[in-house]
Amino acid sequence: GAGVSQSPRYKVAKRGQDVALRCDPISGHVSLFWYQQALGQGPEFLTYFQNEAQLDKSGLPSDRFFAERPEGSVSTLKIQRTQQEDSAVYLCASSLRPGQKVPNEQFFGPGTRLTVL
Amino acid sequence: AQTVTQSQPEMSVQEAETVTLSCTYDTSESDYYLFWYKQPPSRQMILVIRQEAYKQQNATENRFSVNFQKAAKSFSLKISDSQLGDAAMYFCAYTLSYNNNDMRFGAGTRLTVKP
């Protein structure tokens, strides 16, 4: 596609429900990132994939958060037993490859706004 | 840990005028990368400009330029000839790794452009 797409754009969940957020990166992009953006804040790093390998998941806030990218393209961020503090915009970004000397530009999707009631 | 501070939650500029957005960061490293991202209401973050810390020359991209003061750990964004389409949230970001997996963002500055 022309850019990074995410679905759904909006998700309302009841506390305790499981949710799955999808990211379709730009075709051919090797690196994929998930960020959490709370209201009025900048994005915070959650996890990073290079192809299908999850190389860094240090930003995931708890073991209720799980991300996968099984075929090295589409990625899913799953949140189990959602809590109110999980309410945020979840951004996905992709880039062509790990930078050789400088970081490559990350292309962001429009995000999924998750509201947990 | 690296932190990025944007001290101006909101800024306003008249169309065609110039505005400067401030950003400071904290790091003990000498090689790193700095970015300004724009986030319009559609939420899609767009890279505006980037600066490599080892380069002394300030980056410029058309109407956008930075004032990079390495000793002061300051990285401000100047927007010249402001246009209505410049209205958005602007985030300053820092990364140490060329993998981008340690990128840190500031809290953002909301820019309003008045016609």
Side-chain angles (χ1 to χ4, degrees):
Chain A
V4 178
S5 61
Q6 292 186 246
S7 60
R9 290 294 307 275
Y10 301 89
K11 176 70 178 177
V12 178
K14 292 183 179 178
R15 189 162 56 95
Q17 279 185 330
D18 297 349
V19 298
L21 312 180
R22 177 188 170 106
C23 172
D24 283 84
I26 293 173
S27 178
H29 276 195
V30 168
S31 299
L32 185 144
F33 308 82
W34 282 99
Y35 294 89
Q36 181 189 59
Q37 186 176 18
L39 187 65
Q41 299 296 316
E44 292 199 4
F45 170 80
L46 293 177
T47 187
Y48 161 61
F49 290 84
Q50 190 174 318
N51 295 307
E52 69 278 3
Q54 188 175 19
L55 298 186
D56 187 346
K57 54 182 180 179
S58 61
L60 296 176
S62 78
D63 58 7
R64 296 186 295 103
F65 287 71
F66 172 76
E68 61 183 4
R69 195 186 184 197
E71 297 178 358
S73 56
V74 171
S75 178
T76 304
L77 176 67
K78 297 179 179 178
I79 308 173
Q80 297 176 326
R81 305 181 303 282
T82 53
Q83 304 295 316
Q84 284 188 325
E85 60 263 29
D86 299 336
S87 296
V89 173
Y90 291 86
L91 296 171
C92 175
S94 70
S95 65
L96 190 57
R97 67 180 73 82
Q100 296 302 307
K101 291 184 178 181
V102 296
N104 283 316
E105 178 179 353
Q106 291 188 54
F107 294 83
F108 283 80
T112 295
R113 182 181 297 280
L114 173 65
T115 302
V116 181
L117 302 177
Chain B
Q2 302 90 11
T3 58
V4 179
T5 302
Q6 294 179 249
S7 59
Q8 306 153 316
E10 296 184 359
M11 289 286 284
S12 179
V13 64
Q14 205 71 32
E15 195 175 5
E17 297 295 310
T18 296
V19 65
T20 298
L21 309 184
S22 301
C23 172
T24 58
Y25 56 94
D26 182 27
T27 184
S28 57
E29 304 294 334
S30 59
D31 288 331
Y32 48 87
Y33 310 92
L34 297 165
F35 307 82
W36 278 98
Y37 278 89
K38 171 184 178 181
Q39 188 178 43
S42 66
R43 296 203 303 260
Q44 201 134 7
M45 301 269 282
I46 304 164
L47 178 65
V48 174
I49 198 165
R50 65 179 153 193
Q51 174 83 40
E52 290 118 53
Y54 61 85
K55 289 188 176 179
Q56 293 187 342
Q57 187 173 7
N58 288 326
T60 62
E61 286 286 344
N62 300 314
R63 299 182 294 106
F64 299 87
S65 61
V66 299
N67 183 4
F68 174 47
Q69 301 289 326
K70 191 171 184 179
K73 298 179 183 176
S74 170
F75 182 61
S76 61
L77 174 70
K78 186 171 81 171
I79 306 174
S80 304
D81 185 25
S82 297
Q83 300 175 1
L84 295 178
D86 295 335
M89 286 290 291
Y90 285 82
F91 293 96
C92 177
Y94 163 108
T95 188
L96 182 61
S97 165
Y98 55 78
N99 282 340
N100 274 321
N101 61 319
D102 64 345
M103 187 167 283
R104 298 291 183 266
F105 288 83
T109 297
R110 181 175 302 280
L111 178 66
T112 302
V113 181
K114 297 180 179 178

